[in-house]
Coordinates of all heavy atoms in Angstrom, one line a residue:
S15 N 0.8 -1.2 0.0 CA 0.0 0.0 0.0 C 0.9 1.2 0.0 O 2.0 1.2 0.4 CB -0.9 0.0 1.2 OG -0.2 0.2 2.4
A16 N 0.3 2.3 -0.5 CA 1.1 3.6 -0.6 C 1.1 4.2 0.8 O 0.3 4.0 1.7 CB 0.4 4.5 -1.5
A17 N 2.2 5.1 1.0 CA 2.3 5.8 2.2 C 1.1 6.8 2.3 O 0.7 7.4 1.4 CB 3.6 6.6 2.2
S18 N 0.5 6.9 3.5 CA -0.7 7.7 3.6 C -0.4 9.1 4.1 O -1.3 10.0 4.0 CB -1.7 7.0 4.6 OG -1.1 6.8 5.8
D19 N 0.7 9.4 4.7 CA 1.0 10.7 5.2 C 2.5 11.0 5.0 O 3.3 10.1 4.8 CB 0.8 10.7 6.8 CG -0.6 10.6 7.2 OD1 -1.4 11.3 6.7 OD2 -0.9 9.6 7.9
V20 N 2.8 12.3 4.9 CA 4.2 12.7 4.7 C 4.5 13.6 5.9 O 3.8 14.5 6.2 CB 4.3 13.5 3.4 CG1 5.7 14.1 3.3 CG2 4.0 12.7 2.2
Y21 N 5.6 13.2 6.6 CA 6.1 14.0 7.7 C 7.4 14.6 7.3 O 8.4 13.9 7.1 CB 6.2 13.1 8.9 CG 4.9 12.6 9.4 CD1 4.4 11.4 8.8 CD2 4.1 13.3 10.2 CE1 3.1 10.9 9.2 CE2 2.8 12.9 10.6 CZ 2.3 11.7 10.1 OH 1.1 11.2 10.4
K22 N 7.5 15.9 7.2 CA 8.6 16.5 6.5 C 9.8 16.8 7.3 O 10.9 16.8 6.7 CB 8.1 17.9 5.9 CG 7.0 17.6 4.9 CD 6.5 19.0 4.3 CE 5.3 18.7 3.4 NZ 4.7 19.9 2.9
R23 N 9.7 17.0 8.6 CA 10.9 17.4 9.3 C 11.3 16.4 10.4 O 10.4 15.9 11.1 CB 10.6 18.8 10.0 CG 10.6 19.9 9.0 CD 10.4 21.2 9.7 NE 9.0 21.2 10.2 CZ 8.1 22.2 9.9 NH1 8.4 23.1 9.1 NH2 7.0 22.1 10.5
Q24 N 12.6 16.2 10.4 CA 13.1 15.3 11.4 C 14.5 16.0 11.8 O 15.1 16.7 11.0 CB 13.4 13.9 10.9 CG 12.2 13.2 10.3 CD 12.6 12.0 9.5 OE1 13.7 11.6 9.5 NE2 11.7 11.5 8.7
S25 N 14.9 15.7 13.0 CA 16.2 16.1 13.4 C 16.9 14.9 14.0 O 16.3 14.0 14.5 CB 16.1 17.2 14.5 OG 15.5 16.8 15.6
I26 N 18.2 14.9 14.0 CA 19.0 13.8 14.5 C 19.9 14.4 15.6 O 20.7 15.4 15.3 CB 19.9 13.1 13.4 CG1 19.0 12.5 12.4 CG2 20.8 12.1 14.1 CD1 19.7 11.8 11.2
T27 N 19.8 13.9 16.8 CA 20.7 14.3 17.9 C 21.7 13.3 18.2 O 21.5 12.1 18.2 CB 19.8 14.4 19.2 OG1 18.8 15.4 18.9 CG2 20.6 14.9 20.4
D28 N 23.0 13.7 18.3 CA 24.1 12.8 18.7 C 24.2 12.7 20.2 O 24.5 13.7 20.8 CB 25.4 13.4 18.1 CG 26.6 12.5 18.2 OD1 26.5 11.5 19.0 OD2 27.6 12.7 17.6
N29 N 23.8 11.6 20.7 CA 23.8 11.3 22.2 C 25.1 11.0 22.8 O 25.3 10.9 24.0 CB 22.8 10.2 22.5 CG 21.4 10.6 22.1 OD1 20.9 11.6 22.3 ND2 20.8 9.6 21.3
G30 N 26.1 10.7 21.9 CA 27.4 10.2 22.3 C 27.9 9.4 21.1 O 27.3 9.3 20.1
A31 N 29.1 8.8 21.3 CA 29.7 8.0 20.2 C 28.8 7.0 19.6 O 28.4 6.0 20.2 CB 31.0 7.3 20.7
G32 N 28.4 7.3 18.3 CA 27.6 6.4 17.6 C 26.1 6.2 18.0 O 25.4 5.4 17.4
D33 N 25.7 7.0 19.0 CA 24.3 6.8 19.6 C 23.5 8.1 19.1 O 23.8 9.2 19.5 CB 24.5 6.8 21.1 CG 23.2 6.5 21.8 OD1 22.1 6.5 21.2 OD2 23.2 6.4 23.0
Y34 N 22.5 7.8 18.3 CA 21.7 8.9 17.8 C 20.2 8.7 18.1 O 19.7 7.6 18.2 CB 21.8 8.9 16.2 CG 23.2 9.1 15.8 CD1 24.0 8.0 15.4 CD2 23.7 10.3 15.6 CE1 25.3 8.1 15.0 CE2 25.1 10.5 15.2 CZ 25.8 9.4 14.9 OH 27.1 9.6 14.4
T35 N 19.5 9.9 18.3 CA 18.0 9.9 18.4 C 17.5 10.7 17.2 O 18.0 11.8 17.0 CB 17.6 10.6 19.7 OG1 18.1 9.8 20.8 CG2 16.1 10.7 19.8
V36 N 16.5 10.1 16.5 CA 15.8 10.9 15.5 C 14.5 11.3 16.1 O 13.7 10.5 16.6 CB 15.5 9.9 14.3 CG1 14.7 10.7 13.2 CG2 16.9 9.4 13.7
T37 N 14.3 12.6 16.0 CA 13.0 13.2 16.5 C 12.2 13.7 15.3 O 12.7 14.4 14.4 CB 13.3 14.4 17.4 OG1 14.2 14.0 18.5 CG2 12.0 15.0 18.0
I38 N 10.9 13.3 15.3 CA 10.0 13.6 14.3 C 9.2 14.8 14.7 O 8.6 14.9 15.8 CB 9.0 12.4 14.0 CG1 9.9 11.2 13.6 CG2 8.0 12.8 12.9 CD1 9.1 9.9 13.7
D39 N 9.3 15.9 13.9 CA 8.7 17.2 14.3 C 7.2 17.1 14.5 O 6.7 17.8 15.3 CB 9.0 18.2 13.2 CG 8.9 19.6 13.6 OD1 9.2 19.9 14.8 OD2 8.5 20.5 12.8
E40 N 6.5 16.3 13.7 CA 5.0 16.2 13.8 C 4.7 14.8 14.5 O 5.2 13.8 14.0 CB 4.4 16.2 12.5 CG 4.6 17.5 11.7 CD 4.1 17.5 10.3 OE1 3.0 16.9 10.1 OE2 4.8 18.0 9.4
D41 N 4.0 14.8 15.6 CA 3.7 13.5 16.2 C 3.0 12.6 15.2 O 2.0 13.0 14.5 CB 2.7 13.7 17.4 CG 3.4 14.4 18.6 OD1 4.6 14.7 18.5 OD2 2.7 14.6 19.6
L42 N 3.4 11.3 15.2 CA 2.7 10.3 14.4 C 1.5 9.8 15.2 O 1.6 9.9 16.5 CB 3.7 9.2 14.1 CG 4.9 9.5 13.2 CD1 5.9 8.4 13.3 CD2 4.4 9.7 11.8
P43 N 0.5 9.3 14.6 CA -0.7 8.9 15.4 C -0.4 7.7 16.2 O -1.2 7.4 17.2 CB -1.7 8.6 14.3 CG -1.0 8.5 13.0 CD 0.3 9.2 13.2
D44 N 0.6 6.9 15.9 CA 0.9 5.7 16.7 C 2.3 5.2 16.3 O 3.0 5.9 15.6 CB -0.1 4.5 16.4 CG -0.2 4.3 14.9 OD1 0.8 4.2 14.2 OD2 -1.4 4.1 14.5
I45 N 2.8 4.1 16.9 CA 4.2 3.7 16.6 C 4.2 2.7 15.4 O 5.3 2.1 15.2 CB 4.8 3.1 17.9 CG1 4.0 1.8 18.3 CG2 4.9 4.1 19.0 CD1 4.8 1.0 19.4
N46 N 3.2 2.6 14.7 CA 3.2 1.7 13.5 C 3.8 2.3 12.3 O 3.1 2.6 11.3 CB 1.8 1.2 13.2 CG 1.2 0.4 14.4 OD1 1.9 -0.4 15.0 ND2 -0.1 0.7 14.7
Y47 N 5.1 2.5 12.4 CA 5.8 3.1 11.2 C 7.2 2.4 11.1 O 7.6 1.6 12.0 CB 6.1 4.6 11.4 CG 6.9 5.0 12.6 CD1 8.3 5.1 12.6 CD2 6.3 5.3 13.8 CE1 9.0 5.5 13.7 CE2 7.0 5.7 15.0 CZ 8.4 5.8 14.9 OH 9.1 6.1 16.0
T48 N 7.8 2.6 10.0 CA 9.1 1.9 9.7 C 10.0 3.0 9.3 O 9.6 4.1 8.9 CB 9.0 0.8 8.7 OG1 10.2 0.1 8.7 CG2 8.6 1.3 7.4
Y49 N 11.3 2.7 9.3 CA 12.3 3.7 8.8 C 13.4 2.9 8.1 O 13.7 1.8 8.4 CB 12.7 4.6 9.9 CG 13.1 4.0 11.2 CD1 14.4 3.5 11.4 CD2 12.2 3.7 12.2 CE1 14.8 2.9 12.6 CE2 12.5 3.1 13.4 CZ 13.8 2.7 13.5 OH 14.2 2.1 14.7
T50 N 14.1 3.7 7.3 CA 15.3 3.2 6.6 C 16.5 4.1 7.0 O 16.3 5.3 7.0 CB 15.1 3.2 5.1 OG1 14.0 2.4 4.8 CG2 16.3 2.7 4.4
L51 N 17.6 3.4 7.4 CA 18.8 4.2 7.7 C 19.8 4.0 6.6 O 20.0 2.9 6.1 CB 19.3 3.7 9.0 CG 18.5 3.8 10.3 CD1 19.1 3.1 11.4 CD2 18.3 5.2 10.6
S52 N 20.5 5.0 6.4 CA 21.7 4.9 5.5 C 22.8 5.7 6.2 O 22.6 6.9 6.5 CB 21.4 5.5 4.1 OG 22.6 5.7 3.4
T53 N 23.9 5.1 6.5 CA 25.0 5.7 7.2 C 26.3 5.5 6.4 O 26.4 4.5 5.7 CB 25.2 5.2 8.6 OG1 25.5 3.9 8.6 CG2 23.9 5.5 9.5
M54 N 27.2 6.4 6.5 CA 28.5 6.2 5.9 C 29.6 6.8 6.8 O 29.5 7.9 7.3 CB 28.5 6.9 4.5 CG 29.8 6.6 3.8 SD 29.9 7.4 2.2 CE 30.6 9.0 2.6
D55 N 30.7 6.1 6.9 CA 31.8 6.5 7.6 C 33.0 6.3 6.7 O 33.3 5.1 6.3 CB 32.0 5.7 8.9 CG 33.1 6.3 9.8 OD1 34.0 7.0 9.3 OD2 33.0 6.1 11.0
V56 N 33.7 7.3 6.3 CA 34.8 7.2 5.4 C 36.0 6.4 6.0 O 36.7 5.7 5.3 CB 35.3 8.6 4.9 CG1 36.6 8.5 4.1 CG2 34.2 9.3 4.2
G57 N 36.1 6.4 7.3 CA 37.3 5.8 8.0 C 37.1 4.4 8.4 O 38.1 3.8 8.8
A58 N 35.9 3.8 8.4 CA 35.7 2.4 8.8 C 34.4 1.9 8.3 O 33.5 2.6 8.1 CB 35.7 2.4 10.4
A59 N 34.4 0.6 8.2 CA 33.1 -0.1 7.9 C 32.3 -0.1 9.2 O 32.7 -0.4 10.3 CB 33.4 -1.6 7.5
T60 N 31.0 0.2 9.0 CA 30.1 0.3 10.2 C 28.8 -0.5 9.9 O 28.5 -0.8 8.8 CB 29.7 1.8 10.5 OG1 29.1 2.4 9.3 CG2 30.9 2.6 10.9
T61 N 28.2 -0.8 11.0 CA 26.9 -1.4 10.9 C 25.9 -0.7 11.8 O 26.3 0.1 12.7 CB 27.0 -2.9 11.4 OG1 25.7 -3.6 11.2 CG2 27.4 -3.0 12.9
N62 N 24.6 -0.8 11.6 CA 23.6 -0.1 12.3 C 22.8 -1.0 13.2 O 22.5 -2.2 12.9 CB 22.5 0.6 11.4 CG 23.2 1.5 10.5 OD1 24.1 2.2 10.8 ND2 22.7 1.6 9.2
A63 N 22.4 -0.6 14.4 CA 21.6 -1.3 15.3 C 20.4 -0.4 15.7 O 20.6 0.7 16.2 CB 22.3 -1.7 16.6
I64 N 19.2 -0.8 15.3 CA 18.0 0.0 15.6 C 17.4 -0.2 16.9 O 17.6 -1.3 17.5 CB 17.0 -0.2 14.5 CG1 16.5 -1.7 14.4 CG2 17.5 0.2 13.1 CD1 15.4 -1.9 13.5
N65 N 16.7 0.8 17.4 CA 16.1 0.8 18.7 C 17.0 0.3 19.8 O 16.6 -0.5 20.7 CB 14.8 -0.1 18.7 CG 13.7 0.6 17.8 OD1 13.7 1.8 17.6 ND2 12.9 -0.3 17.2
Q66 N 18.2 0.8 19.8 CA 19.2 0.5 20.9 C 19.9 1.8 21.2 O 20.0 2.7 20.5 CB 20.2 -0.5 20.4 CG 19.8 -1.9 20.3 CD 20.9 -2.8 20.0 OE1 22.1 -2.4 19.9 NE2 20.6 -4.1 19.9
N67 N 20.5 1.8 22.4 CA 21.4 2.9 22.8 C 22.9 2.3 22.7 O 23.1 1.2 22.3 CB 21.1 3.5 24.2 CG 21.3 2.5 25.3 OD1 22.0 1.5 25.2 ND2 20.6 2.7 26.4
A68 N 23.9 3.1 23.0 CA 25.3 2.7 22.9 C 25.6 1.5 23.8 O 26.6 0.8 23.5 CB 26.2 3.9 23.2
S69 N 24.9 1.3 24.8 CA 25.1 0.1 25.7 C 24.4 -1.1 25.2 O 24.4 -2.1 25.9 CB 24.7 0.4 27.1 OG 25.3 1.6 27.6
A70 N 23.8 -1.1 24.0 CA 23.0 -2.2 23.4 C 21.7 -2.5 24.2 O 21.2 -3.5 24.0 CB 23.9 -3.4 23.3
A71 N 21.3 -1.6 25.0 CA 20.0 -1.8 25.7 C 18.9 -1.4 24.7 O 19.0 -0.4 23.9 CB 19.9 -0.9 26.9
E72 N 17.8 -2.1 24.7 CA 16.7 -1.8 23.8 C 16.0 -0.6 24.3 O 15.8 -0.3 25.4 CB 15.7 -3.0 23.8 CG 14.6 -2.8 22.8 CD 13.6 -4.0 22.8 OE1 14.0 -5.1 23.3 OE2 12.6 -3.8 22.2
V73 N 15.7 0.3 23.3 CA 14.9 1.5 23.5 C 13.7 1.5 22.5 O 13.9 1.5 21.3 CB 15.8 2.8 23.2 CG1 15.0 4.0 23.5 CG2 17.1 2.7 24.1
A74 N 12.5 1.5 23.1 CA 11.3 1.4 22.2 C 11.1 2.7 21.5 O 11.3 3.8 22.0 CB 10.1 1.1 23.1
Q75 N 10.7 2.6 20.2 CA 10.4 3.8 19.4 C 9.1 4.4 20.0 O 8.2 3.7 20.5 CB 10.3 3.5 17.9 CG 9.1 2.6 17.5 CD 9.3 2.2 16.1 OE1 10.3 1.9 15.6 NE2 8.2 2.3 15.3
T76 N 8.9 5.7 19.8 CA 7.7 6.4 20.3 C 7.0 7.1 19.1 O 7.5 7.0 17.9 CB 8.0 7.4 21.3 OG1 8.7 8.5 20.7 CG2 8.8 6.8 22.5
T77 N 6.0 7.8 19.3 CA 5.3 8.5 18.2 C 6.1 9.7 17.8 O 5.8 10.3 16.7 CB 3.9 8.9 18.6 OG1 4.0 9.8 19.8 CG2 3.0 7.8 18.9
T78 N 7.1 10.1 18.5 CA 7.9 11.3 18.2 C 9.4 11.0 18.0 O 10.1 11.9 17.5 CB 7.8 12.4 19.3 OG1 8.2 11.8 20.5 CG2 6.4 12.9 19.4
A79 N 9.9 9.8 18.3 CA 11.3 9.6 18.2 C 11.7 8.1 18.2 O 10.9 7.2 18.6 CB 12.0 10.2 19.4
F80 N 12.9 7.8 17.7 CA 13.5 6.5 17.7 C 15.0 6.7 17.8 O 15.5 7.7 17.5 CB 13.1 5.6 16.6 CG 13.5 6.1 15.2 CD1 14.7 5.7 14.7 CD2 12.6 6.9 14.5 CE1 15.1 6.1 13.4 CE2 13.0 7.3 13.2 CZ 14.2 6.9 12.7
R81 N 15.6 5.6 18.2 CA 17.1 5.7 18.4 C 17.8 4.6 17.6 O 17.3 3.5 17.4 CB 17.3 5.4 19.9 CG 18.5 6.1 20.5 CD 18.3 6.3 22.0 NE 19.6 6.6 22.6 CZ 19.8 6.9 23.8 NH1 18.7 6.9 24.6 NH2 20.9 7.3 24.3
F82 N 19.0 4.9 17.2 CA 19.9 3.9 16.6 C 21.3 4.1 16.9 O 21.7 5.2 17.4 CB 19.6 3.9 15.1 CG 20.2 5.1 14.3 CD1 21.4 5.1 13.8 CD2 19.4 6.2 14.2 CE1 21.9 6.2 13.1 CE2 19.9 7.3 13.5 CZ 21.2 7.3 12.9
V83 N 22.1 3.1 16.7 CA 23.5 3.1 17.1 C 24.3 2.7 15.8 O 23.9 1.7 15.1 CB 23.9 2.1 18.2 CG1 25.3 2.1 18.5 CG2 23.1 2.6 19.5
T84 N 25.4 3.3 15.5 CA 26.3 2.9 14.5 C 27.6 2.4 15.2 O 28.1 3.0 16.1 CB 26.7 4.1 13.5 OG1 27.2 5.2 14.3 CG2 25.5 4.5 12.8
R85 N 28.1 1.3 14.7 CA 29.2 0.6 15.3 C 30.2 0.2 14.3 O 29.8 -0.1 13.1 CB 28.8 -0.7 16.1 CG 27.8 -0.5 17.2 CD 27.5 -1.8 17.8 NE 26.6 -1.7 18.9 CZ 26.8 -1.2 20.1 NH1 28.1 -0.9 20.4 NH2 25.9 -1.0 21.0
V86 N 31.5 0.2 14.6 CA 32.5 -0.5 13.8 C 32.1 -1.9 13.7 O 31.7 -2.5 14.7 CB 33.9 -0.3 14.4 CG1 34.9 -1.0 13.6 CG2 34.3 1.2 14.5
V87 N 32.2 -2.5 12.6 CA 31.8 -3.9 12.4 C 32.5 -4.8 13.5 O 33.7 -4.8 13.6 CB 32.1 -4.5 11.0 CG1 31.8 -5.9 10.9 CG2 31.3 -3.7 10.0
G88 N 31.6 -5.5 14.3 CA 32.1 -6.3 15.4 C 32.7 -5.6 16.5 O 33.4 -6.2 17.4
G89 N 32.5 -4.3 16.7 CA 33.1 -3.5 17.7 C 32.3 -2.4 18.4 O 31.1 -2.5 18.5
A90 N 33.0 -1.4 18.8 CA 32.4 -0.3 19.6 C 31.6 0.6 18.8 O 31.7 0.8 17.6 CB 33.6 0.4 20.3
A91 N 30.7 1.4 19.5 CA 29.9 2.4 18.9 C 30.9 3.5 18.4 O 31.9 3.8 19.0 CB 29.0 3.0 19.9
R92 N 30.5 4.1 17.2 CA 31.3 5.0 16.5 C 30.5 6.0 15.8 O 29.5 5.6 15.1 CB 32.3 4.3 15.6 CG 33.1 5.3 14.7 CD 33.9 4.5 13.7 NE 34.5 5.3 12.7 CZ 35.9 5.5 12.7 NH1 36.7 4.9 13.5 NH2 36.4 6.3 11.7
D93 N 30.8 7.3 15.9 CA 30.1 8.3 15.0 C 30.4 8.1 13.6 O 31.5 7.6 13.2 CB 30.5 9.7 15.4 CG 29.9 10.2 16.7 OD1 28.9 9.6 17.1 OD2 30.4 11.2 17.2
T94 N 29.4 8.3 12.7 CA 29.6 8.2 11.3 C 29.6 9.6 10.6 O 29.1 10.6 11.2 CB 28.5 7.3 10.7 OG1 27.2 7.8 11.1 CG2 28.6 5.9 11.0
D95 N 30.1 9.7 9.4 CA 30.2 10.9 8.7 C 28.9 11.4 8.2 O 28.6 12.6 8.2 CB 31.2 10.8 7.6 CG 32.6 10.6 8.0 OD1 33.0 11.1 9.1 OD2 33.3 9.8 7.4
Y96 N 28.0 10.5 7.8 CA 26.7 10.8 7.2 C 25.7 9.9 7.8 O 25.9 8.7 7.9 CB 26.7 10.7 5.7 CG 27.8 11.6 5.0 CD1 29.0 11.1 4.7 CD2 27.5 12.9 4.8 CE1 30.0 11.9 4.1 CE2 28.5 13.7 4.2 CZ 29.7 13.2 3.9 OH 30.6 14.0 3.3
N97 N 24.5 10.4 8.1 CA 23.3 9.7 8.6 C 22.1 10.2 7.8 O 21.8 11.4 7.9 CB 23.1 9.8 10.1 CG 24.2 9.3 10.9 OD1 24.6 8.1 10.7 ND2 24.8 10.1 11.8
N98 N 21.4 9.3 7.1 CA 20.2 9.6 6.4 C 19.1 8.7 6.9 O 19.3 7.5 7.1 CB 20.4 9.4 4.9 CG 21.6 10.2 4.4 OD1 21.6 11.4 4.3 ND2 22.7 9.5 4.0
V99 N 17.9 9.3 7.0 CA 16.8 8.6 7.5 C 15.5 8.9 6.7 O 15.3 10.1 6.4 CB 16.5 9.0 9.0 CG1 15.2 8.3 9.5 CG2 17.7 8.7 9.9
I100 N 14.8 7.9 6.4 CA 13.5 8.0 5.7 C 12.5 7.3 6.7 O 12.7 6.1 7.0 CB 13.4 7.4 4.3 CG1 14.4 8.0 3.4 CG2 12.0 7.4 3.8 CD1 14.6 7.3 2.1
V101 N 11.4 8.0 7.0 CA 10.4 7.4 7.9 C 9.1 7.2 7.0 O 8.7 8.1 6.3 CB 10.0 8.4 9.1 CG1 8.9 7.8 9.9 CG2 11.2 8.6 9.9
V102 N 8.5 6.0 7.1 CA 7.4 5.7 6.3 C 6.3 5.2 7.2 O 6.5 4.4 8.1 CB 7.7 4.6 5.2 CG1 6.4 4.3 4.4 CG2 8.8 5.1 4.3
R103 N 5.1 5.7 7.0 CA 3.9 5.3 7.8 C 2.8 4.9 6.8 O 2.5 5.6 5.9 CB 3.4 6.3 8.8 CG 2.3 5.8 9.5 CD 1.8 6.7 10.7 NE 0.9 6.1 11.5 CZ -0.3 5.7 11.1 NH1 -0.7 5.8 9.8 NH2 -1.2 5.1 11.9

């Protein structure tokens, strides 16, 4: 099915090494949404972990925000050079 709403503004907050929160400017009606992450780090291969903080604890998404972590493959949390997010509901 096609996306039913468009939410235009998001911000990304850097909570610490590799730990990010995406805040959606307009409240979503519920948590039934998905998102796609695209990250790039020129200095190292990285992987993404969704709905986690840097300690790998699960953090539930809300109607206004979700969290993700970027890590060096097989290792510690690390900031990336570029983070892109698309939210679809």
Side-chain angles (χ1 to χ4, degrees):
S15 71
S18 59
D19 294 305
V20 175
Y21 297 89
K22 297 179 182 175
R23 289 183 291 239
Q24 303 166 12
S25 63
I26 299 178
T27 302
D28 187 346
N29 302 309
D33 184 355
Y34 300 95
T35 297
V36 175
T37 302
I38 301 164
D39 198 34
E40 301 173 38
D41 290 0
L42 295 166
D44 52 46
I45 62 168
N46 296 321
Y47 61 90
T48 189
Y49 48 89
T50 299
L51 299 171
S52 170
T53 62
M54 187 180 87
D55 188 339
V56 176
T60 58
T61 185
N62 300 322
I64 59 172
N65 293 333
Q66 286 187 1
N67 63 22
S69 301
E72 185 175 347
V73 179
Q75 68 189 42
T76 68
T77 59
T78 58
F80 62 90
R81 209 157 168 175
F82 70 94
V83 176
T84 56
R85 299 181 182 282
V86 176
V87 174
R92 174 187 170 110
D93 283 343
T94 49
D95 295 323
Y96 302 97
N97 294 307
N98 303 292
V99 177
I100 297 171
V101 176
V102 179
R103 181 173 189 299

